Each structure stands twice: as structure tokens, then as C-alpha cells.
Amino acid sequence: MSFNNKALLIDNKVVVILVFLLCLVHSSESLRPLFACDPANGLTRTLRFCRVNVPVHVRVQDLIGRLTLQEKIRLLVNNAAAVPRLGIGGYEWWSEALHGVSDVGPGAKFGGAFPGATSFPQVITTAASFNQSLWEEIGRVVSDEARAMYNGGVAGLTYWSPNVNILRDPRWGRGQETPGEDPVVAGKYAASYVRGLQGNGAGNRLKVAACCKHYTAYDLDNWNGVDRFHFNAKVTKQDLEDTYNVPFKSCVYEGKVASVMCSYNQVNGKPTCADENLLKNTIRGQWRLNGYIVSDCDSVDVFFNQQHYTTTPEEAAAASIKAGLDLDCGPFLAIFTEGAVKKGLLTENDVNLALANTITVQMRLGMFDGNLGPYANLGPRDVCTPAHQHLALEAAHQGIVLLKNSGRSLPLSPRRHRTIAVIGPNSDVTETMIGNYAGKACAYTTPLQGISRYAKTIHQKGCAGVACAGNQGFGAAEAAARQADATVLVMGLDQSIEAETRDRTGLLLPGYQQNLVTRVAQASRGPVILVLMSGGPIDVSFAKNDPRVAAIIWAGYPGQAGGAAIADIIFGAANPGGKLPMTWYPQNYVAKLPMTIMAMRASGNYPGRTYRFYKGPVVFPFGFGLSYTTFTHSLSQRPLAQLSVSPYKLNTAIFNSSSHSIKVSHANCGTFTKMPLHVEVSNTGEYDGTHTVFVFAEPPENGIKGMGVNKQLIAFEKVHVTAGSKRTVQVVVDACKHLGVVDAYGKRRIPMGEHKLHIGDLKHTILVQPQL
């Protein structure tokens, strides 16, 4: 080879290397999101909608004015099409972040630099912590990881979470996704988690855009031949105002959420996604939503093709948009909206109004402005960090509930309990621990692995899976229990038993699980600890009443670090402080109770639902949970015994003398309607621990039609108290905010008379009277 040829070869190698490096740079740049108004984009940088110093609403109107009708229509769906002539790339709206960034929706994908994300406990478990600051902190971490993945080009910025539906029926397969049965708790959870996801709201900006779903009265998936696509929820105005809408109102009012999702079901004969009263009048009108309304996926298609709500698809498209729907998860609006406009069922201005709401959210997210702002540098190093994974462990510690602890059998001692039999179908699971709507976890610690850190283990599944169809493995499980110093049975449910599209038929442990627990308990030579994984409650009366079962722990679905958290609690490295966010009913409660009855209040032979209205026997009540220490309450300052509420003016519409009540909307709410409660919490035991102070209100029975409330939670506070010390918690009781009840017409009223406050075993009576 001549010198010239060698030189040419070297030059060619240099060119190849340069091209390769340029490709790497381009590849890296291509991962970053495309922005219509990026300074490098010569197409748009001079247009008004790209001027960051112009008010958002002006930018939005400028952009909409430049779009054709066909371009507008292709932006009405979740996989919004690109508008190349304006530099706008396509965008996938559907991402999920229920308890960590998820790949359930098409908007987020794992792999490469982002193999997984921190998977926190399922929502029902996190709710059991009753810790509002924890809820917000989890939201903040999840949105950090979401922004990092967005910057890497593998995720969106619009997350259709949280699910704040009420866990009305214990069989609901999606109860695991919710904060439980109490509307106040669900509302507080919604606002806290949304604030964590969306950031501090400075300058009307959003970190990511959250979405509260599924609005409204949505809590049946597939039960006894009735599915969510065909279900007409018959709901009174009273229950809608008093229960089902409460979390959504809190989400919008308190959390300032950027989106609300309407549900598949009908409410009183109307699909929620075509109900102008629910969408335009309530969410956007009364509650002043600053954001967009999106359908559950294919909801518009469902109410046309399965519910046959309209005669033509164009009528369905028009009905949804005119009702207030802004975005369709699914292709329906992209296909039929133009026809609806041509037929005069819809105007182009109706389309513009919908687009204004979605584009405004994108503008608030900074999606048109280049990757600027405080989140621009988040990347792979900010996902699955040690701090994030530690928070997942701490969240599991706080959410796990101790239900039974006979003779203070727990915590176990690593010195005395050196060999542990770990038995059960959930004893060495990974994905089961993260429940549904989960992503790819950073790493897993199973219960078996967690317990192995404290003691030698003997492992037997006992059953092939949670269905536990046979007893073939029982003998080996009994043998293991005979050899061990203590036995931990990890039983319960998984997504094959309770899930989206799958409601449970009953409340008992599946298959032969109960038999396995009983036989192993009989064989064990040491204490037996029953650990339950589930989203919904389980009737474990047999174990509660069996003296050979020393302890029962409900772990819910405890997330990626669930096994470590369970072991930490069993061996006393963490003191359980979780409380049940839902009532645990006996099996006979649901035996004759259709899931399809939406009424909350008891009447006749109908038992009512949740702790607020049901008075029958329970396995474990709402708010129940034990600790390794003991707490007592006292009132450190003598609270007021009387509050006065004055109406604006005296007439029967405002002060109802027959029911002795004043409408909240007509009350002068201020200083005289408020009373501070100073609750002193003393830790009288040997362990440091956390305690939840619950304040319930029991209204007077004074003739408000259909009131039927046993008691209702008005406030809760989580407090950490070291052994032997005291902490004071202040709760302000406001007659207008806390002591109202909803009448049969859906109006909130303050009953006059004696209201009883319950704080643990303390009771305090307040006389509420009109100031006439």
C-alpha cells in the first residue's frame, strides 16, 4: 500500500469517527423532547405563540388561530398528531404514575438509560400511613423521575394519576388503587399527591400535570355479569355530594389539579363523559378547574357503541365536546368530530375551547419553550437514587398495619428466633408486591429475602399460587414449621384475584389458603405470624380467633422494598404505625349485597356502606391498627363547649326550624364557628412510635331527612412520639367545614344541637346553636 493510500485510509477513518461522533451527538439530542419554540427552530421562533414573555392565554389563542380544522381535530386525542409546518411534534398524553412512573400507558417506556423507576407501595398501603407529608413527598419523587425520563425522551409530562374513587364495596378489584373508603382521607390524599407531582405552582407553571380519576361514582369493574362499560350507577344527590364527589372537589380546589378524567359508567342514565352538568357545570363551573377534562380510554366509543346513548357517532362526538370533554383517550374524536362540525352538531369554536384547555396545560408545562427551567438537568442519575429507594422502604414501614399481636408475640428476637419457617404463595414474590398500574421496579426485596437478613430461613410455598387449588404442598410446609423457632405465613391475594376488570366474588382467602394457615399453625412449635398481601379487605376471622395465630399483619401491596419492610416490622427494627383506610367486613356482609347498589346509607334490610353508615359487626374497623408501644390522649387545654352559627338573614330558606339546621352556603362562617382542639399524645410504652390522631364527629339526630351518619372523620394528624414523652397536636374544628351533613337534596347543612367529638377514647360535646 502506497503512502497516499495510507493517508487516504487515515482520512477515511477520521471521517468515519467524526460521522460516528456526530451521530452520537445527534442521537443524544434526538432523545430530548422536540419543542415547537426551540430557538433553533427557524419555522416558529418569530411567531407570537413562541414568545415566552406573552401571557399564556394569548399564546394559546395565537396558536389555535394558525391551525386548520383538520389539524385541530387530530389534537383532540391522546396520540396527538404532529403539525410539522408549525414545528409541533406529535405527543402522547397517556402516561401513568399511580405509585411510581409506570409503563402501563404508551407515554412512558423503560430500557436503555432508564431500566426502571422507584416503585412505591400501592396507594391503599400508602394511604394507611395517614401521613399527608409522606403522600406529597412520594409525589415529588415520582415527578422528579418522570421529568428525568421526559428529558431522556422516554416519557411524557401528563400523568393520569391519582385514582381517588371511594372504596365503597370491599370486593372492588381496583380498590387497591384508591386511598380507601373515607371521602375526607381520599380528598386529602388527592390534594397532597397532586401537589407533589405538579410542584409549587410558581408562575402558574407545572412540573408534571396530574389527573384525578375516574369521575364519578365509579367503583365496579366486572361483577356478576355487570361490567363498567354498561353499568348505570343510580346515585342520589345526597350521596354524590356527601361521598362520591368529595375527593374530586378537593383535588381541584385544594390540589389545583391540571386534569380530571371522566369514567366509563353512566350516572343516573347519562354517560359521565357526555354529562354537561358533571363536566362543564360542576368541574369547570363550580370548582373552577384550571386544566383539561379527559375521557377514560375509549369512553366516548363505549357510550356510543355499547351504551347506545346516541344514534350516530357524530352525535356522540358532539355530545362529549359540548358537555365539556377536551381530550379523548382513543381515536373516536379524531374520526368523527369533523363530521359533527359539517352536520352542524358542533361548531369550530367548540373545538377551539377544548383545545385551549389542553394547549394551556402544555404551555404551563413548558413544552413549547425548550428544555429550560429548574427540571432541565434531571436525568438517569435522578431515577432509582438511594434516597428514593429509602423513601419506598419508609413508605412501606408507615403503611403496614399490625392487626393482632397476642401476648406481645411481636417483635421477634433475632437471638431467640434464629430459624424462621417462611411459608405461603406470597412468601417470595416480586411483582405481586407492587400491585397494578406499576412500572419496572429498581430492585425487589421479597419477604423471604427480608427475613433472611435477620435469621436462617426454611422456605416452603405451601401452595403453587394464591388460588391455592390443592393441598399438595401442605405436608412440607408443616414439616418446616415444626423445625423453626417461629413461622411466618405470607398469604393473601394478587392481580389474578383482584384487578382492573376483575372484582372479587367474596372476602375469604382463596382456595385452600385458610386450611394451610390452620394446619401450619397447629404444626408450628413457635409463634405464628400471618402476613396478608391484598388491596381489599379479607375476612380472616378464623385467624383472629385462633390462639395459635399469634399475630396478623396487613402489608397491602408494599412496593419494591416490601419484603424488607415486613421483616423490619416483624423483628422490631420498625414499629408499625399504619391504620386501616377501609373497614374489614365479615363474609356474610357481602353474601346478599349486590355491588350494583350505590346507596351509602342503611335502610330497611340494606346494611349501608363504610364505617360512616354501616352499624353491623366487622372483622377490623376503619382506622384500626396496633403498635409495639401504647399511646394515650388527653385534652391539654379546655376546649369550647359551644359554637354559634349565624345565618345571613332570617327566613325559612336559610334557617330550617323543622330540622334545626342552617345551610352552609348561607352561614356566616368565621371566628365564632371555629374551635381549636389541643390533643396531647403520650407514649406510655417502651418503643418510639408514630400515632395517628383521628377526630370524628357524630352529628345530633334532629330531623334532617335521610342523614343516617354514624360518625364521620373530620381531621387526622400523624405524630411521632418517643417512648415516655408527649406531643401536642392542634386541630381546628370549624362548624362550617366539619360539622355539616348533607340532606336528601344534596345541600350541606349544619345541624343545631349537640355534636359529639371522638378522639380515640376521649369524647367532647359541642353545642352548636344559631345566633339569631
Side-chain angles (χ1 to χ4, degrees):
M1 184 182 295
S2 69
F3 175 81
N4 286 340
N5 286 339
K6 283 183 180 179
L8 184 61
L9 183 61
I10 291 170
D11 286 345
N12 285 340
K13 283 183 178 179
V14 170
V15 169
V16 168
I17 290 168
L18 286 172
V19 169
F20 175 71
L21 289 173
L22 285 170
C23 286
L24 278 181
V25 170
H26 175 73
S27 173
S28 173
E29 287 296 320
S30 68
L31 284 177
R32 294 181 182 176
L34 295 173
F35 296 93
C37 302
D38 195 294
N41 189 346
L43 287 171
T44 59
R45 61 187 175 188
T46 61
L47 301 181
R48 196 173 192 198
F49 74 82
C50 286
R51 297 177 190 168
V52 294
N53 58 339
V54 171
V56 167
H57 71 277
V58 176
R59 297 177 67 188
V60 169
Q61 291 306 318
D62 180 76
L63 174 56
I64 290 173
R66 297 175 187 277
L67 297 169
T68 67
L69 177 61
Q70 290 73 24
E71 288 168 340
K72 292 173 184 176
I73 287 168
R74 282 297 289 120
L75 297 177
L76 293 174
V77 290
N78 64 288
N79 59 338
V83 186
R85 67 184 185 83
L86 294 177
I88 299 172
Y91 179 66
E92 176 54 67
W93 285 83
W94 180 10
S95 294
E96 302 277 358
L98 193 69
H99 50 111
V101 179
S102 168
D103 56 354
V104 169
K109 294 178 174 60
F110 293 111
F114 300 94
T118 309
S119 196
F120 290 92
Q122 180 60 291
V123 175
I124 196 75
T125 307
T126 302
S129 71
F130 285 89
N131 186 343
Q132 296 177 61
S133 61
L134 174 68
W135 300 340
E136 185 167 341
E137 180 64 9
I138 290 173
R140 187 194 64 76
V141 166
V142 171
S143 59
D144 273 357
E145 298 196 350
R147 267 282 176 173
M149 292 177 67
Y150 176 72
N151 292 344
V154 294
L157 287 179
T158 46
Y159 288 86
W160 294 346
S161 304
N163 178 346
V164 297
N165 293 120
I166 297 299
L167 178 48
R168 169 189 62 100
D169 190 291
R171 294 164 289 191
W172 187 30
R174 300 188 74 175
Q176 60 183 288
E177 302 174 32
T178 76
E181 71 181 41
D182 183 79
V184 169
V185 175
K188 296 289 187 187
Y189 177 87
S192 299
Y193 190 64
V194 166
R195 279 194 294 266
L197 286 177
Q198 295 191 165
N200 62 16
N204 199 30
R205 303 290 281 188
L206 293 166
K207 186 180 181 185
V208 304
C211 173
C212 285
K213 62 186 185 183
H214 314 80
Y215 178 76
T216 183
Y218 173 84
D219 52 6
L220 177 149
D221 266 63
N222 194 340
W223 177 82
N224 202 27
V226 180
D227 67 39
R228 57 187 176 166
F229 305 125
H230 299 89
F231 181 51
N232 177 23
K234 295 177 182 176
V235 187
T236 64
K237 290 180 179 179
Q238 185 177 40
D239 285 339
L240 207 59
E241 173 65 26
D242 188 44
T243 298
Y244 297 114
N245 281 0
V246 171
F248 293 97
K249 184 176 182 179
S250 177
C251 214
V252 177
Y253 263 157
E254 311 297 332
K256 303 191 185 309
V257 75
S259 176
V260 174
M261 176 185 285
C262 51
S263 54
Y264 289 118
N265 57 292
Q266 296 187 356
V267 172
N268 299 325
K270 269 193 171 184
T272 64
C273 292
D275 191 327
E276 185 174 6
N277 184 53
L278 287 177
L279 305 188
K280 187 174 287 184
N281 295 350
T282 302
I283 297 178
R284 196 168 296 286
Q286 292 178 32
W287 301 346
R288 312 287 298 189
L289 173 71
N290 179 18
Y292 69 98
I293 300 172
V294 61
S295 75
D296 203 340
C297 294
D298 293 318
S299 283
V300 184
D301 184 275
V302 163
F303 80 65
F304 172 67
N305 281 308
Q306 298 195 44
Q307 297 174 6
H308 308 295
Y309 182 68
T310 63
T311 305
T312 68
E314 291 81 10
E315 288 172 337
S320 62
I321 292 174
K322 290 179 83 68
L325 188 72
D326 303 310
L327 186 72
D328 178 21
C329 179
F332 198 92
L333 291 188
I335 298 169
F336 297 110
T337 300
E338 187 172 2
V341 173
K342 287 180 178 177
K343 290 182 177 182
L345 302 171
L346 203 62
T347 67
E348 187 166 352
N349 190 55
D350 293 324
V351 175
N352 293 346
L353 291 173
L355 277 186
N357 292 324
T358 55
I359 294 172
T360 297
V361 167
Q362 290 181 311
M363 291 274 187
R364 292 174 64 201
L365 286 163
M367 290 176 60
F368 283 80
D369 303 329
N371 205 10
L372 307 171
Y375 316 117
N377 294 321
L378 292 171
R381 67 186 178 279
D382 301 296
V383 179
C384 289
T385 68
H388 293 182
Q389 296 195 60
H390 179 76
L391 184 65
L393 174 63
E394 179 59 27
H397 283 157
Q398 292 194 32
I400 290 173
V401 184
L402 179 62
L403 297 173
K404 178 183 178 181
N405 192 19
S406 296
R408 300 179 70 179
S409 300
L410 290 179
L412 298 182
S413 165
R415 294 189 306 277
R416 289 184 292 110
H417 304 100
R418 297 183 178 184
T419 302
I420 309 294
V422 184
I423 295 166
N426 282 336
S427 58
D428 197 28
V429 293
T430 53
E431 290 183 5
T432 296
M433 294 194 300
I434 60 178
N436 71 353
Y437 279 82
K440 302 287 188 294
C442 309
Y444 290 106
T445 304
T446 73
L448 177 63
Q449 291 168 338
I451 294 167
S452 296
R453 296 173 180 175
Y454 288 93
K456 179 184 175 183
T457 56
I458 307 169
H459 180 229
Q460 291 291 333
K461 284 189 175 181
C463 301
V466 293
C468 203
N471 61 4
Q472 296 87 347
F474 285 18
E478 290 171 295
R482 289 189 192 100
Q483 300 171 50
D485 300 319
T487 298
V488 177
L489 284 149
V490 192
M491 313 297 287
L493 314 177
D494 65 13
Q495 301 306 305
S496 69
I497 304 295
E498 55 176 356
E500 186 170 8
T501 74
R502 185 177 295 118
D503 296 323
R504 284 192 285 163
T505 55
L507 302 182
L508 301 176
L509 284 168
Y512 285 84
Q513 281 197 46
Q514 180 170 325
N515 303 66
L516 176 61
V517 173
T518 300
R519 281 180 51 173
V520 167
Q522 288 173 338
S524 180
R525 67 182 173 93
V528 175
I529 295 91
L530 173 61
V531 178
L532 299 166
M533 285 191 197
S534 73
I538 304 171
D539 182 354
V540 287
S541 301
F542 79 97
K544 179 184 176 184
N545 299 326
D546 187 342
R548 291 161 299 194
V549 177
I552 303 174
I553 290 170
W554 176 68
Y557 293 124
Q560 65 177 48
I566 289 166
D568 288 346
I569 282 173
I570 287 173
F571 285 94
N575 187 355
K579 306 288 185 182
L580 290 179
M582 72 297 210
T583 303
W584 283 38
Y585 305 91
Q587 166 66 14
N588 62 14
Y589 170 77
V590 299
K592 296 180 180 179
L593 181 64
M595 277 191 74
T596 48
I597 298 180
M598 301 296 292
M600 298 300 297
R601 287 157 174 77
S603 95
N605 293 324
Y606 182 68
R609 296 184 180 276
T610 78
Y611 80 91
R612 293 191 299 148
F613 306 105
Y614 169 67
K615 292 183 177 179
V618 300
V619 181
F620 296 107
F622 171 88
F624 181 78
L626 303 173
S627 171
Y628 295 152
T629 192
T630 51
F631 297 96
T632 61
H633 304 94
S634 62
L635 296 176
S636 61
Q637 297 180 26
R638 186 174 181 84
L640 296 174
Q642 183 175 305
L643 290 174
S644 298
V645 181
S646 61
Y648 285 137
K649 55 186 178 181
L650 292 179
N651 62 47
T652 54
I654 292 175
F655 178 70
N656 189 314
S657 57
S658 63
S659 66
H660 302 285
S661 65
I662 296 174
K663 284 184 181 179
V664 172
S665 59
H666 292 153
N668 280 313
C669 299
T671 305
F672 296 109
T673 66
K674 296 177 182 177
M675 178 194 74
L677 270 182
H678 298 89
V679 182
E680 189 173 81
V681 181
S682 300
N683 183 339
T684 56
E686 300 171 1
Y687 294 85
D688 297 349
T690 57
H691 180 65
T692 301
V693 177
F694 291 114
V695 182
F696 294 94
E698 178 186 341
E701 287 289 348
N702 63 358
I704 295 181
K705 184 180 177 183
M707 187 170 65
V709 180
N710 300 329
K711 63 178 182 178
Q712 54 192 12
L713 185 66
I714 62 172
F716 59 93
E717 292 290 339
K718 191 86 167 184
V719 61
H720 185 269
V721 191
T722 56
S725 66
K726 300 176 181 180
R727 292 280 302 276
T728 299
V729 174
Q730 179 176 310
V731 174
V732 176
V733 178
D734 185 338
C736 290
K737 187 177 180 182
H738 298 129
L739 302 184
V741 295
V742 177
D743 66 17
Y745 307 100
K747 304 299 181 185
R748 194 168 291 274
R749 292 180 172 276
I750 306 166
M752 301 296 106
E754 290 189 342
H755 293 252
K756 295 183 179 68
L757 300 182
H758 302 255
I759 310 106
D761 53 1
L762 289 177
K763 288 185 181 177
H764 176 69
T765 300
I766 308 174
L767 177 63
V768 178
Q769 59 183 15
Q771 189 174 12
L772 302 177

